[in-house]
PDB file of all heavy atoms in Angstrom:
ATOM      1  N   ALA A   1       4.382   4.125  10.369  1.00 89.00           N
ATOM      2  CA  ALA A   1       3.631   5.223   9.781  1.00 89.00           C
ATOM      3  C   ALA A   1       3.265   6.160  10.925  1.00 89.00           C
ATOM      4  O   ALA A   1       3.327   5.767  12.097  1.00 89.00           O
ATOM      5  CB  ALA A   1       2.373   4.713   9.072  1.00 89.00           C
ATOM      6  N   PRO A   2       2.887   7.420  10.625  1.00 85.00           N
ATOM      7  CA  PRO A   2       2.507   8.341  11.702  1.00 85.00           C
ATOM      8  C   PRO A   2       1.413   7.769  12.595  1.00 85.00           C
ATOM      9  O   PRO A   2       1.448   7.929  13.817  1.00 85.00           O
ATOM     10  CB  PRO A   2       2.024   9.577  10.937  1.00 85.00           C
ATOM     11  CG  PRO A   2       2.779   9.534   9.646  1.00 85.00           C
ATOM     12  CD  PRO A   2       2.905   8.080   9.306  1.00 85.00           C
ATOM     13  N   TYR A   3       0.428   7.101  11.997  1.00 79.00           N
ATOM     14  CA  TYR A   3      -0.637   6.431  12.742  1.00 79.00           C
ATOM     15  C   TYR A   3      -1.009   5.160  11.992  1.00 79.00           C
ATOM     16  O   TYR A   3      -0.912   5.108  10.770  1.00 79.00           O
ATOM     17  CB  TYR A   3      -1.880   7.318  12.886  1.00 79.00           C
ATOM     18  CG  TYR A   3      -1.620   8.634  13.583  1.00 79.00           C
ATOM     19  CD1 TYR A   3      -1.443   9.793  12.841  1.00 79.00           C
ATOM     20  CD2 TYR A   3      -1.539   8.700  14.972  1.00 79.00           C
ATOM     21  CE1 TYR A   3      -1.187  11.009  13.461  1.00 79.00           C
ATOM     22  CE2 TYR A   3      -1.284   9.902  15.602  1.00 79.00           C
ATOM     23  CZ  TYR A   3      -1.110  11.058  14.848  1.00 79.00           C
ATOM     24  OH  TYR A   3      -0.842  12.244  15.477  1.00 79.00           O
ATOM     25  N   GLY A   4      -1.454   4.154  12.741  1.00 81.00           N
ATOM     26  CA  GLY A   4      -1.868   2.918  12.097  1.00 81.00           C
ATOM     27  C   GLY A   4      -2.967   3.137  11.087  1.00 81.00           C
ATOM     28  O   GLY A   4      -2.977   2.533  10.002  1.00 81.00           O
ATOM     29  N   GLU A   5      -3.931   4.048  11.444  1.00 88.00           N
ATOM     30  CA  GLU A   5      -5.040   4.290  10.522  1.00 88.00           C
ATOM     31  C   GLU A   5      -4.606   5.041   9.273  1.00 88.00           C
ATOM     32  O   GLU A   5      -5.313   5.054   8.273  1.00 88.00           O
ATOM     33  CB  GLU A   5      -6.157   5.077  11.232  1.00 88.00           C
ATOM     34  CG  GLU A   5      -6.906   4.272  12.273  1.00 88.00           C
ATOM     35  CD  GLU A   5      -6.507   4.689  13.689  1.00 88.00           C
ATOM     36  OE1 GLU A   5      -5.373   5.187  13.852  1.00 88.00           O
ATOM     37  OE2 GLU A   5      -7.310   4.516  14.614  1.00 88.00           O
ATOM     38  N   THR A   6      -3.431   5.699   9.333  1.00 90.00           N
ATOM     39  CA  THR A   6      -2.939   6.410   8.153  1.00 90.00           C
ATOM     40  C   THR A   6      -2.493   5.426   7.087  1.00 90.00           C
ATOM     41  O   THR A   6      -2.782   5.599   5.899  1.00 90.00           O
ATOM     42  CB  THR A   6      -1.751   7.318   8.536  1.00 90.00           C
ATOM     43  OG1 THR A   6      -2.120   8.134   9.648  1.00 90.00           O
ATOM     44  CG2 THR A   6      -1.349   8.193   7.372  1.00 90.00           C
ATOM     45  N   MET A   7      -1.820   4.375   7.498  1.00 94.00           N
ATOM     46  CA  MET A   7      -1.362   3.369   6.545  1.00 94.00           C
ATOM     47  C   MET A   7      -2.466   2.385   6.190  1.00 94.00           C
ATOM     48  O   MET A   7      -2.618   2.017   5.017  1.00 94.00           O
ATOM     49  CB  MET A   7      -0.147   2.616   7.112  1.00 94.00           C
ATOM     50  CG  MET A   7       0.399   1.542   6.173  1.00 94.00           C
ATOM     51  SD  MET A   7       1.895   0.709   6.804  1.00 94.00           S
ATOM     52  CE  MET A   7       3.156   1.905   6.360  1.00 94.00           C
ATOM     53  N   LEU A   8      -3.228   1.959   7.186  1.00 96.00           N
ATOM     54  CA  LEU A   8      -4.309   0.995   6.958  1.00 96.00           C
ATOM     55  C   LEU A   8      -5.632   1.687   7.238  1.00 96.00           C
ATOM     56  O   LEU A   8      -6.061   1.815   8.385  1.00 96.00           O
ATOM     57  CB  LEU A   8      -4.130  -0.235   7.856  1.00 96.00           C
ATOM     58  CG  LEU A   8      -5.236  -1.293   7.833  1.00 96.00           C
ATOM     59  CD1 LEU A   8      -5.617  -1.673   6.411  1.00 96.00           C
ATOM     60  CD2 LEU A   8      -4.808  -2.519   8.621  1.00 96.00           C
ATOM     61  N   ALA A   9      -6.271   2.162   6.179  1.00 96.00           N
ATOM     62  CA  ALA A   9      -7.485   2.967   6.308  1.00 96.00           C
ATOM     63  C   ALA A   9      -8.730   2.161   5.964  1.00 96.00           C
ATOM     64  O   ALA A   9      -8.695   1.283   5.091  1.00 96.00           O
ATOM     65  CB  ALA A   9      -7.411   4.194   5.398  1.00 96.00           C
ATOM     66  N   THR A  10      -9.807   2.465   6.666  1.00 95.00           N
ATOM     67  CA  THR A  10     -11.109   1.894   6.326  1.00 95.00           C
ATOM     68  C   THR A  10     -11.733   2.736   5.222  1.00 95.00           C
ATOM     69  O   THR A  10     -11.806   3.961   5.330  1.00 95.00           O
ATOM     70  CB  THR A  10     -12.041   1.894   7.541  1.00 95.00           C
ATOM     71  OG1 THR A  10     -11.417   1.194   8.602  1.00 95.00           O
ATOM     72  CG2 THR A  10     -13.376   1.251   7.203  1.00 95.00           C
ATOM     73  N   LYS A  11     -12.136   2.070   4.153  1.00 94.00           N
ATOM     74  CA  LYS A  11     -12.791   2.772   3.056  1.00 94.00           C
ATOM     75  C   LYS A  11     -13.821   1.833   2.461  1.00 94.00           C
ATOM     76  O   LYS A  11     -13.485   0.934   1.691  1.00 94.00           O
ATOM     77  CB  LYS A  11     -11.779   3.207   2.000  1.00 94.00           C
ATOM     78  CG  LYS A  11     -12.381   4.176   0.968  1.00 94.00           C
ATOM     79  CD  LYS A  11     -11.285   4.827   0.150  1.00 94.00           C
ATOM     80  CE  LYS A  11     -11.881   5.879  -0.785  1.00 94.00           C
ATOM     81  NZ  LYS A  11     -10.840   6.529  -1.611  1.00 94.00           N
ATOM     82  N   PRO A  12     -15.097   1.990   2.850  1.00 93.00           N
ATOM     83  CA  PRO A  12     -16.135   1.076   2.375  1.00 93.00           C
ATOM     84  C   PRO A  12     -16.061   0.895   0.855  1.00 93.00           C
ATOM     85  O   PRO A  12     -15.798   1.867   0.136  1.00 93.00           O
ATOM     86  CB  PRO A  12     -17.428   1.777   2.796  1.00 93.00           C
ATOM     87  CG  PRO A  12     -17.026   2.583   3.998  1.00 93.00           C
ATOM     88  CD  PRO A  12     -15.640   3.056   3.693  1.00 93.00           C
ATOM     89  N   PRO A  13     -16.202  -0.342   0.396  1.00 95.00           N
ATOM     90  CA  PRO A  13     -16.639  -1.542   1.130  1.00 95.00           C
ATOM     91  C   PRO A  13     -15.513  -2.395   1.706  1.00 95.00           C
ATOM     92  O   PRO A  13     -15.671  -3.602   1.844  1.00 95.00           O
ATOM     93  CB  PRO A  13     -17.386  -2.319   0.055  1.00 95.00           C
ATOM     94  CG  PRO A  13     -16.603  -2.012  -1.200  1.00 95.00           C
ATOM     95  CD  PRO A  13     -16.147  -0.596  -1.067  1.00 95.00           C
ATOM     96  N   GLY A  14     -14.384  -1.796   2.037  1.00 96.00           N
ATOM     97  CA  GLY A  14     -13.292  -2.600   2.556  1.00 96.00           C
ATOM     98  C   GLY A  14     -12.218  -1.758   3.199  1.00 96.00           C
ATOM     99  O   GLY A  14     -12.494  -0.816   3.944  1.00 96.00           O
ATOM    100  N   TYR A  15     -10.963  -2.074   2.860  1.00 97.00           N
ATOM    101  CA  TYR A  15      -9.820  -1.400   3.458  1.00 97.00           C
ATOM    102  C   TYR A  15      -8.808  -1.044   2.368  1.00 97.00           C
ATOM    103  O   TYR A  15      -8.734  -1.691   1.325  1.00 97.00           O
ATOM    104  CB  TYR A  15      -9.139  -2.305   4.496  1.00 97.00           C
ATOM    105  CG  TYR A  15     -10.061  -2.728   5.615  1.00 97.00           C
ATOM    106  CD1 TYR A  15     -10.707  -3.956   5.566  1.00 97.00           C
ATOM    107  CD2 TYR A  15     -10.290  -1.894   6.702  1.00 97.00           C
ATOM    108  CE1 TYR A  15     -11.566  -4.350   6.590  1.00 97.00           C
ATOM    109  CE2 TYR A  15     -11.143  -2.279   7.729  1.00 97.00           C
ATOM    110  CZ  TYR A  15     -11.783  -3.498   7.666  1.00 97.00           C
ATOM    111  OH  TYR A  15     -12.643  -3.879   8.669  1.00 97.00           O
ATOM    112  N   VAL A  16      -8.023   0.001   2.649  1.00 97.00           N
ATOM    113  CA  VAL A  16      -6.970   0.432   1.735  1.00 97.00           C
ATOM    114  C   VAL A  16      -5.651   0.454   2.505  1.00 97.00           C
ATOM    115  O   VAL A  16      -5.567   1.049   3.583  1.00 97.00           O
ATOM    116  CB  VAL A  16      -7.244   1.835   1.153  1.00 97.00           C
ATOM    117  CG1 VAL A  16      -6.071   2.277   0.281  1.00 97.00           C
ATOM    118  CG2 VAL A  16      -8.524   1.851   0.352  1.00 97.00           C
ATOM    119  N   PHE A  17      -4.633  -0.207   1.952  1.00 97.00           N
ATOM    120  CA  PHE A  17      -3.292  -0.146   2.517  1.00 97.00           C
ATOM    121  C   PHE A  17      -2.562   0.956   1.764  1.00 97.00           C
ATOM    122  O   PHE A  17      -2.181   0.781   0.603  1.00 97.00           O
ATOM    123  CB  PHE A  17      -2.598  -1.498   2.340  1.00 97.00           C
ATOM    124  CG  PHE A  17      -1.554  -1.784   3.381  1.00 97.00           C
ATOM    125  CD1 PHE A  17      -1.753  -1.459   4.710  1.00 97.00           C
ATOM    126  CD2 PHE A  17      -0.374  -2.404   3.029  1.00 97.00           C
ATOM    127  CE1 PHE A  17      -0.804  -1.738   5.674  1.00 97.00           C
ATOM    128  CE2 PHE A  17       0.590  -2.696   3.980  1.00 97.00           C
ATOM    129  CZ  PHE A  17       0.376  -2.355   5.311  1.00 97.00           C
ATOM    130  N   ARG A  18      -2.365   2.083   2.422  1.00 96.00           N
ATOM    131  CA  ARG A  18      -1.858   3.280   1.754  1.00 96.00           C
ATOM    132  C   ARG A  18      -0.335   3.244   1.670  1.00 96.00           C
ATOM    133  O   ARG A  18       0.378   3.952   2.387  1.00 96.00           O
ATOM    134  CB  ARG A  18      -2.358   4.530   2.472  1.00 96.00           C
ATOM    135  CG  ARG A  18      -3.882   4.664   2.462  1.00 96.00           C
ATOM    136  CD  ARG A  18      -4.324   6.022   2.952  1.00 96.00           C
ATOM    137  NE  ARG A  18      -5.772   6.117   3.097  1.00 96.00           N
ATOM    138  CZ  ARG A  18      -6.620   6.373   2.111  1.00 96.00           C
ATOM    139  NH1 ARG A  18      -6.159   6.536   0.893  1.00 96.00           N
ATOM    140  NH2 ARG A  18      -7.917   6.439   2.338  1.00 96.00           N
ATOM    141  N   ILE A  19       0.133   2.414   0.760  1.00 95.00           N
ATOM    142  CA  ILE A  19       1.552   2.342   0.436  1.00 95.00           C
ATOM    143  C   ILE A  19       1.689   2.488  -1.069  1.00 95.00           C
ATOM    144  O   ILE A  19       0.737   2.273  -1.822  1.00 95.00           O
ATOM    145  CB  ILE A  19       2.193   1.013   0.896  1.00 95.00           C
ATOM    146  CG1 ILE A  19       1.518  -0.182   0.214  1.00 95.00           C
ATOM    147  CG2 ILE A  19       2.130   0.883   2.411  1.00 95.00           C
ATOM    148  CD1 ILE A  19       2.183  -1.517   0.480  1.00 95.00           C
ATOM    149  N   ALA A  20       2.890   2.876  -1.510  1.00 95.00           N
ATOM    150  CA  ALA A  20       3.142   3.010  -2.936  1.00 95.00           C
ATOM    151  C   ALA A  20       3.504   1.652  -3.528  1.00 95.00           C
ATOM    152  O   ALA A  20       4.168   0.845  -2.871  1.00 95.00           O
ATOM    153  CB  ALA A  20       4.272   4.003  -3.180  1.00 95.00           C
ATOM    154  N   PRO A  21       3.100   1.372  -4.769  1.00 96.00           N
ATOM    155  CA  PRO A  21       3.488   0.102  -5.389  1.00 96.00           C
ATOM    156  C   PRO A  21       4.992  -0.125  -5.380  1.00 96.00           C
ATOM    157  O   PRO A  21       5.454  -1.264  -5.291  1.00 96.00           O
ATOM    158  CB  PRO A  21       2.950   0.243  -6.828  1.00 96.00           C
ATOM    159  CG  PRO A  21       1.806   1.193  -6.708  1.00 96.00           C
ATOM    160  CD  PRO A  21       2.217   2.162  -5.639  1.00 96.00           C
ATOM    161  N   GLU A  22       5.773   0.957  -5.461  1.00 96.00           N
ATOM    162  CA  GLU A  22       7.230   0.839  -5.480  1.00 96.00           C
ATOM    163  C   GLU A  22       7.806   0.244  -4.202  1.00 96.00           C
ATOM    164  O   GLU A  22       8.970  -0.172  -4.169  1.00 96.00           O
ATOM    165  CB  GLU A  22       7.866   2.215  -5.711  1.00 96.00           C
ATOM    166  CG  GLU A  22       7.607   2.810  -7.089  1.00 96.00           C
ATOM    167  CD  GLU A  22       6.263   3.511  -7.184  1.00 96.00           C
ATOM    168  OE1 GLU A  22       5.501   3.506  -6.176  1.00 96.00           O
ATOM    169  OE2 GLU A  22       5.965   4.061  -8.263  1.00 96.00           O
ATOM    170  N   GLN A  23       7.003   0.204  -3.132  1.00 97.00           N
ATOM    171  CA  GLN A  23       7.473  -0.372  -1.876  1.00 97.00           C
ATOM    172  C   GLN A  23       7.347  -1.893  -1.846  1.00 97.00           C
ATOM    173  O   GLN A  23       7.806  -2.533  -0.909  1.00 97.00           O
ATOM    174  CB  GLN A  23       6.683   0.224  -0.699  1.00 97.00           C
ATOM    175  CG  GLN A  23       6.950   1.700  -0.452  1.00 97.00           C
ATOM    176  CD  GLN A  23       6.033   2.267   0.622  1.00 97.00           C
ATOM    177  OE1 GLN A  23       5.114   3.024   0.351  1.00 97.00           O
ATOM    178  NE2 GLN A  23       6.279   1.894   1.868  1.00 97.00           N
ATOM    179  N   VAL A  24       6.720  -2.474  -2.874  1.00 98.00           N
ATOM    180  CA  VAL A  24       6.454  -3.915  -2.914  1.00 98.00           C
ATOM    181  C   VAL A  24       7.359  -4.558  -3.955  1.00 98.00           C
ATOM    182  O   VAL A  24       7.468  -4.075  -5.090  1.00 98.00           O
ATOM    183  CB  VAL A  24       4.972  -4.190  -3.245  1.00 98.00           C
ATOM    184  CG1 VAL A  24       4.682  -5.685  -3.198  1.00 98.00           C
ATOM    185  CG2 VAL A  24       4.065  -3.427  -2.281  1.00 98.00           C
ATOM    186  N   ASP A  25       8.023  -5.669  -3.596  1.00 98.00           N
ATOM    187  CA  ASP A  25       8.981  -6.293  -4.508  1.00 98.00           C
ATOM    188  C   ASP A  25       8.340  -6.813  -5.791  1.00 98.00           C
ATOM    189  O   ASP A  25       8.990  -6.879  -6.833  1.00 98.00           O
ATOM    190  CB  ASP A  25       9.775  -7.403  -3.808  1.00 98.00           C
ATOM    191  CG  ASP A  25       8.907  -8.546  -3.284  1.00 98.00           C
ATOM    192  OD1 ASP A  25       7.663  -8.470  -3.364  1.00 98.00           O
ATOM    193  OD2 ASP A  25       9.487  -9.522  -2.754  1.00 98.00           O
ATOM    194  N   VAL A  26       7.057  -7.151  -5.752  1.00 98.00           N
ATOM    195  CA  VAL A  26       6.389  -7.619  -6.968  1.00 98.00           C
ATOM    196  C   VAL A  26       6.386  -6.527  -8.035  1.00 98.00           C
ATOM    197  O   VAL A  26       6.598  -6.796  -9.228  1.00 98.00           O
ATOM    198  CB  VAL A  26       4.946  -8.075  -6.662  1.00 98.00           C
ATOM    199  CG1 VAL A  26       4.188  -8.385  -7.952  1.00 98.00           C
ATOM    200  CG2 VAL A  26       4.952  -9.304  -5.767  1.00 98.00           C
ATOM    201  N   PHE A  27       6.168  -5.288  -7.606  1.00 97.00           N
ATOM    202  CA  PHE A  27       6.166  -4.165  -8.545  1.00 97.00           C
ATOM    203  C   PHE A  27       7.546  -4.022  -9.189  1.00 97.00           C
ATOM    204  O   PHE A  27       7.668  -3.864 -10.414  1.00 97.00           O
ATOM    205  CB  PHE A  27       5.782  -2.869  -7.828  1.00 97.00           C
ATOM    206  CG  PHE A  27       5.829  -1.642  -8.694  1.00 97.00           C
ATOM    207  CD1 PHE A  27       4.730  -1.278  -9.460  1.00 97.00           C
ATOM    208  CD2 PHE A  27       6.964  -0.853  -8.755  1.00 97.00           C
ATOM    209  CE1 PHE A  27       4.771  -0.145 -10.274  1.00 97.00           C
ATOM    210  CE2 PHE A  27       7.017   0.272  -9.562  1.00 97.00           C
ATOM    211  CZ  PHE A  27       5.919   0.628 -10.319  1.00 97.00           C
ATOM    212  N   GLU A  28       8.612  -4.097  -8.387  1.00 98.00           N
ATOM    213  CA  GLU A  28       9.969  -3.986  -8.922  1.00 98.00           C
ATOM    214  C   GLU A  28      10.270  -5.133  -9.893  1.00 98.00           C
ATOM    215  O   GLU A  28      10.870  -4.933 -10.945  1.00 98.00           O
ATOM    216  CB  GLU A  28      10.980  -3.982  -7.783  1.00 98.00           C
ATOM    217  CG  GLU A  28      12.412  -3.756  -8.240  1.00 98.00           C
ATOM    218  CD  GLU A  28      13.400  -3.714  -7.091  1.00 98.00           C
ATOM    219  OE1 GLU A  28      12.974  -3.814  -5.922  1.00 98.00           O
ATOM    220  OE2 GLU A  28      14.607  -3.580  -7.370  1.00 98.00           O
ATOM    221  N   PHE A  29       9.830  -6.342  -9.533  1.00 98.00           N
ATOM    222  CA  PHE A  29      10.012  -7.498 -10.403  1.00 98.00           C
ATOM    223  C   PHE A  29       9.351  -7.271 -11.762  1.00 98.00           C
ATOM    224  O   PHE A  29       9.966  -7.504 -12.821  1.00 98.00           O
ATOM    225  CB  PHE A  29       9.425  -8.736  -9.722  1.00 98.00           C
ATOM    226  CG  PHE A  29       9.265  -9.938 -10.608  1.00 98.00           C
ATOM    227  CD1 PHE A  29      10.368 -10.682 -10.999  1.00 98.00           C
ATOM    228  CD2 PHE A  29       8.017 -10.329 -11.050  1.00 98.00           C
ATOM    229  CE1 PHE A  29      10.228 -11.793 -11.824  1.00 98.00           C
ATOM    230  CE2 PHE A  29       7.857 -11.433 -11.875  1.00 98.00           C
ATOM    231  CZ  PHE A  29       8.967 -12.167 -12.257  1.00 98.00           C
ATOM    232  N   GLN A  30       8.110  -6.803 -11.751  1.00 98.00           N
ATOM    233  CA  GLN A  30       7.375  -6.604 -12.998  1.00 98.00           C
ATOM    234  C   GLN A  30       7.965  -5.463 -13.825  1.00 98.00           C
ATOM    235  O   GLN A  30       7.975  -5.533 -15.057  1.00 98.00           O
ATOM    236  CB  GLN A  30       5.898  -6.370 -12.689  1.00 98.00           C
ATOM    237  CG  GLN A  30       5.216  -7.611 -12.133  1.00 98.00           C
ATOM    238  CD  GLN A  30       3.809  -7.346 -11.620  1.00 98.00           C
ATOM    239  OE1 GLN A  30       3.442  -6.208 -11.310  1.00 98.00           O
ATOM    240  NE2 GLN A  30       3.018  -8.398 -11.502  1.00 98.00           N
ATOM    241  N   GLU A  31       8.454  -4.425 -13.157  1.00 98.00           N
ATOM    242  CA  GLU A  31       9.098  -3.329 -13.879  1.00 98.00           C
ATOM    243  C   GLU A  31      10.377  -3.799 -14.575  1.00 98.00           C
ATOM    244  O   GLU A  31      10.642  -3.443 -15.727  1.00 98.00           O
ATOM    245  CB  GLU A  31       9.421  -2.186 -12.912  1.00 98.00           C
ATOM    246  CG  GLU A  31       8.213  -1.377 -12.480  1.00 98.00           C
ATOM    247  CD  GLU A  31       7.668  -0.531 -13.607  1.00 98.00           C
ATOM    248  OE1 GLU A  31       8.340   0.441 -14.017  1.00 98.00           O
ATOM    249  OE2 GLU A  31       6.568  -0.858 -14.107  1.00 98.00           O
ATOM    250  N   LEU A  32      11.184  -4.601 -13.890  1.00 98.00           N
ATOM    251  CA  LEU A  32      12.408  -5.122 -14.488  1.00 98.00           C
ATOM    252  C   LEU A  32      12.097  -6.086 -15.631  1.00 98.00           C
ATOM    253  O   LEU A  32      12.800  -6.103 -16.655  1.00 98.00           O
ATOM    254  CB  LEU A  32      13.252  -5.826 -13.424  1.00 98.00           C
ATOM    255  CG  LEU A  32      13.984  -4.905 -12.438  1.00 98.00           C
ATOM    256  CD1 LEU A  32      14.489  -5.698 -11.242  1.00 98.00           C
ATOM    257  CD2 LEU A  32      15.141  -4.186 -13.142  1.00 98.00           C
TER     258      LEU A  32
END
């Protein structure tokens, strides 16, 4: 990613992994 904090952001009360569901195989499995 351009910066580590861009993909893995701090957002109280925790963290957000800023990726699209389509990038994860579980999403593709469930769609199929």
Side-chain angles (χ1 to χ4, degrees):
Y3 301 99
E5 289 106 334
T6 309
M7 180 177 279
L8 175 49
T10 304
K11 191 167 185 181
Y15 301 97
V16 176
F17 207 40
R18 298 190 187 278
I19 60 173
E22 293 83 358
Q23 292 174 253
V24 184
D25 61 355
V26 172
F27 177 86
E28 185 178 357
F29 167 74
Q30 292 171 339
E31 286 289 291
L32 286 166

